[in-house]
Amino acid sequence: MVIMMIIDKVNDIINGHTSKNSLYVFCVFIKENIAKIPRMTIEDIAKACYISKGQVSKCIRNLDYQNYEEFIYECYSYLDSLERRQLFIDKKLSLKENISIFSDNFLKNIQYTQKYLDYTQIEELIKNIKTSRKIYLYAQGDARSLIYNIQRELNIYHINTIICDVDLKKEYSFTNQDLLIIISINGDTFHYDKRIIQRLRKTKVNKWLITCQNDINFCENQIFIHCLHFSYHVYMMRYIIDIILLGLQI
């Protein structure tokens, strides 16, 4: 499990605010001190941010957490996910040896993924992207960086593309001519954030889900990426996205 939603939320606020209001200051503090926050009281944070305890509580609610305990739990989850991130480098081996091992395993995973790839689904998604009025993208955690790449590539083809905020708090004017692409590498969003999933389900728009998790039943159009080993999920997701973007050239 890789939960990075707290940082996604914080980055959304920092990137979207020009004025240094209490929410901006609070988010900057979280980003710079998240390792310390689980050991801090709400009073400690208020003092460190030079804002009131009430303002801290309001900021926490603005980040879509119901209370301080839920906020602290999310910080714990983020730190725990960092400790359990897959490391490919064996420090006992040279860089050349590590690269050779990684490359061999990477190739095996690509061959396995390609073997089970549903080209009909891929072609249908590409068709949907080309014919939709507007493309909306949603992802959390590691997948968040991938949708920024998708947006950049779609802009080359003058395809109107919008990245949804991580909390889905903004009002989006979805129509039946639009397309919402949801990327969830390991399905964590579906297992651990029921409120977000409920909001996604309620959106009346053509939806596509791309995931490496095979036990998700979210929408009619789903691309399941078969992987040889879970540690290569992120890499195989990038591979499939690259294939989809290459298909736009046809």
Side-chain angles (χ1 to χ4, degrees), residues 60-109:
I60 288 170
R61 290 193 297 272
N62 282 333
L63 289 175
D64 207 31
Y65 300 117
Q66 295 181 350
N67 50 51
Y68 187 71
E69 289 70 27
E70 186 177 1
F71 163 70
I72 289 296
Y73 175 77
E74 186 79 357
C75 292
Y76 268 122
S77 299
Y78 170 73
L79 294 171
D80 182 57
S81 72
L82 292 183
E83 292 181 0
R84 293 184 287 106
R85 286 178 72 83
Q86 181 68 36
L87 299 178
F88 291 96
I89 299 297
D90 186 340
K91 294 181 179 180
K92 297 178 182 179
L93 302 177
S94 67
L95 177 61
K96 181 179 180 180
E97 289 170 324
N98 273 293
I99 291 174
S100 178
I101 293 171
F102 175 82
S103 299
D104 288 343
N105 289 330
F106 183 68
L107 179 58
K108 290 176 183 177
N109 275 272

Side-chain angles (χ1 to χ4, degrees), residues 12 31 45 77 83-84 94 98 100 104 109 132 143 165 168 170 185 204 219 238-239 247:
D12 277 352
K31 189 170 183 179
I45 295 178
S77 299
E83 292 181 0
R84 293 184 287 106
S94 67
N98 273 293
S100 178
D104 288 343
N109 275 272
S132 294
D165 66 293
L168 290 177
K170 295 179 181 178
I185 297 172
K204 295 181 179 180
C219 58
R238 291 174 184 166
Y239 170 65

Side-chain angles (χ1 to χ4, degrees), residues 112-128:
Y112 183 87
T113 296
Q114 189 177 38
K115 178 181 178 181
Y116 294 99
L117 195 60
D118 188 331
Y119 290 96
T120 301
Q121 278 189 318
I122 299 292
E123 289 174 349
E124 184 64 23
L125 175 55
I126 293 170
K127 179 182 177 182
N128 278 202

Side-chain angles (χ1 to χ4, degrees), residues 30-213:
I30 293 173
K31 189 170 183 179
E32 294 178 350
N33 300 276
I34 193 165
K36 302 176 185 177
I37 288 176
R39 301 190 300 273
M40 300 177 73
T41 65
I42 192 169
E43 290 82 4
D44 292 333
I45 295 178
K47 184 178 180 180
C49 294
Y50 299 99
I51 59 178
S52 69
K53 179 181 173 182
Q55 285 176 307
V56 172
S57 296
K58 184 178 180 180
C59 289
I60 288 170
R61 290 193 297 272
N62 282 333
L63 289 175
D64 207 31
Y65 300 117
Q66 295 181 350
N67 50 51
Y68 187 71
E69 289 70 27
E70 186 177 1
F71 163 70
I72 289 296
Y73 175 77
E74 186 79 357
C75 292
Y76 268 122
S77 299
Y78 170 73
L79 294 171
D80 182 57
S81 72
L82 292 183
E83 292 181 0
R84 293 184 287 106
R85 286 178 72 83
Q86 181 68 36
L87 299 178
F88 291 96
I89 299 297
D90 186 340
K91 294 181 179 180
K92 297 178 182 179
L93 302 177
S94 67
L95 177 61
K96 181 179 180 180
E97 289 170 324
N98 273 293
I99 291 174
S100 178
I101 293 171
F102 175 82
S103 299
D104 288 343
N105 289 330
F106 183 68
L107 179 58
K108 290 176 183 177
N109 275 272
I110 282 185
Q111 291 172 336
Y112 183 87
T113 296
Q114 189 177 38
K115 178 181 178 181
Y116 294 99
L117 195 60
D118 188 331
Y119 290 96
T120 301
Q121 278 189 318
I122 299 292
E123 289 174 349
E124 184 64 23
L125 175 55
I126 293 170
K127 179 182 177 182
N128 278 202
I129 292 173
K130 288 181 174 180
T131 57
S132 294
R133 180 185 70 96
K134 190 178 294 183
I135 310 298
Y136 291 88
L137 305 171
Y138 181 82
Q140 298 177 4
D142 289 340
R144 193 94 178 141
S145 63
L146 301 179
I147 61 176
Y148 283 103
N149 182 51
I150 295 173
Q151 184 186 49
R152 184 176 62 251
E153 291 295 318
L154 294 185
N155 285 341
I156 294 174
Y157 300 101
H158 306 290
I159 298 174
N160 195 355
T161 309
I162 295 174
I163 292 178
C164 299
D165 66 293
V166 75
D167 285 328
L168 290 177
K169 282 187 174 181
K170 295 179 181 178
E171 293 292 332
Y172 299 103
S173 302
F174 296 113
T175 74
N176 57 8
Q177 295 177 303
D178 297 332
L179 172 64
L180 171 60
I181 300 175
I182 303 155
I183 298 177
S184 184
I185 297 172
N186 295 312
D188 292 337
T189 306
F190 291 84
H191 294 144
Y192 301 103
D193 206 324
K194 303 301 182 183
R195 279 178 293 175
I196 292 296
I197 296 307
Q198 195 64 21
R199 291 171 191 171
L200 288 170
R201 287 188 187 278
K202 288 181 179 179
T203 56
K204 295 181 179 180
V205 64
N206 180 26
K207 304 183 189 76
W208 277 80
L209 170 66
I210 308 176
T211 182
C212 298
Q213 184 59 257

